[in-house]
Amino acid sequence: MPGSNATRLLQALPGLGLILLAGVLLSRVDRTAPPLAMQGAATVSKPAGSHPSSGSGLHVLLAPERDAGLFAQMIAGDRAWIPRAEVIPGVGTRYVYKKLADQPPLTLEQIKALLRQPPTFEAEQQAIRGLLQALRASGVRLTLGPPNQQGAAGEWEPATATLRIRPDVPAKGSREFARVLNHEAIHVAQSCSNGSLKARPKPLGLPRSLDPAGLRHLREPIYSKASPSERLLEEEAYANQERFSLGVQLVALHCSSG
């Protein structure tokens, strides 16, 4: 409809976002474009306390000297969450942004507000620094590498005191990395509360009220064989993974170095 001043909603792709056009309705978004977070995959974690298995692939130790590179990846990923406006000569302005699968669509005014004041993700980055420090001080071995459990973005392996995060998670941005790291830190505290870092996790008594995204995650195939006790542990982690200051507090409370 050339010449129309109406703002059109083009399409919502799971994990990818919307395109809004001030002007005409364009063709659909290319479906081959890579999704940012399919089905919230960055928060799917291996059932806590699962037995270790023989994973494959390169594992990189997340030592303090690698933090600068780690944060550089996250900051680059953060830029993908900032909407962009594309001027189409003779047509109008197209607004493109990315969103999580469970995030409701943004209005044009909300998108313009994000353009005027882009998110900084400073709170998430501060939480990540605190979590890394607390986990390292407690003796946790932090690595970037393929999880042993296929489909997991992170896993806590008590037998080896290893917290493993899938290598593509940092590139998803600070918020996704903070969510995964905080989720696994809760599992670490669950182990410590049972007597030691390498103990089988036990519930901490945290609230377990799940939002629709958390409920959907627990229906993933990765949890199909989880026992009732393992599901309870996951409910605690999923219900509280967005409370970015909680993981540090729990690790400090329940874990000690060595």
Side-chain angles (χ1 to χ4, degrees), residues 127-221:
I128 292 166
R129 291 186 181 93
L131 282 165
L132 292 174
Q133 181 178 356
L135 290 165
R136 288 164 177 159
S138 298
V140 174
R141 183 173 181 267
L142 294 158
T143 68
L144 279 182
N148 294 325
Q149 182 70 39
Q150 186 175 5
E155 63 187 11
W156 165 236
E157 194 171 274
T160 60
T162 299
L163 192 162
R164 191 174 295 112
I165 295 179
R166 201 172 63 209
D168 67 322
V169 173
K172 295 178 183 295
S174 302
R175 183 169 296 161
E176 284 298 301
F177 191 87
R179 189 178 287 125
V180 174
L181 187 62
N182 197 43
H183 182 114
E184 300 307 328
I186 292 171
H187 288 322
V188 172
Q190 289 170 339
S191 282
C192 293
S193 71
N194 202 20
S196 75
L197 190 64
K198 295 186 177 182
R200 190 172 185 83
K202 75 170 187 179
L204 296 167
L206 299 174
R208 293 187 289 115
S209 179
L210 294 166
D211 60 15
L215 291 170
R216 178 173 54 80
H217 291 321
L218 286 176
R219 290 194 293 267
E220 297 277 351

Side-chain angles (χ1 to χ4, degrees), residues 2 6 12 19 22 30-31 44 50 55 73 76 96 102 109 130 144 156-157 171 177 196 203 209 218 228 239:
I19 289 183
D30 182 4
R31 288 184 180 275
V44 176
S50 299
Q73 288 185 63
V96 183
D102 297 292
E109 286 307 311
L144 279 182
W156 165 236
E157 194 171 274
F177 191 87
S196 75
S209 179
L218 286 176

Side-chain angles (χ1 to χ4, degrees), residues 104-147:
L106 298 181
T107 67
L108 182 58
E109 286 307 311
Q110 289 173 322
I111 293 173
K112 288 181 176 180
L114 286 174
L115 284 168
R116 290 192 298 269
Q117 190 171 0
T120 64
F121 301 102
E122 290 179 1
E124 289 84 353
Q125 291 165 18
Q126 184 65 25
I128 292 166
R129 291 186 181 93
L131 282 165
L132 292 174
Q133 181 178 356
L135 290 165
R136 288 164 177 159
S138 298
V140 174
R141 183 173 181 267
L142 294 158
T143 68
L144 279 182

Side-chain angles (χ1 to χ4, degrees), residues 48-107:
S50 299
H51 296 294
S53 57
S54 55
S56 59
L58 178 65
H59 292 261
V60 176
L61 183 66
L62 280 179
E65 57 268 24
R66 289 195 169 99
D67 283 356
L70 175 67
F71 277 87
Q73 288 185 63
M74 289 186 284
I75 291 169
D78 290 340
R79 287 195 286 270
W81 292 96
I82 301 174
R84 68 180 186 272
E86 300 175 351
V87 177
I88 304 175
V91 176
T93 302
R94 179 172 63 182
Y95 297 91
V96 183
Y97 76 96
K98 293 183 178 180
K99 76 179 197 66
L100 294 173
D102 297 292
Q103 178 187 359
L106 298 181
T107 67

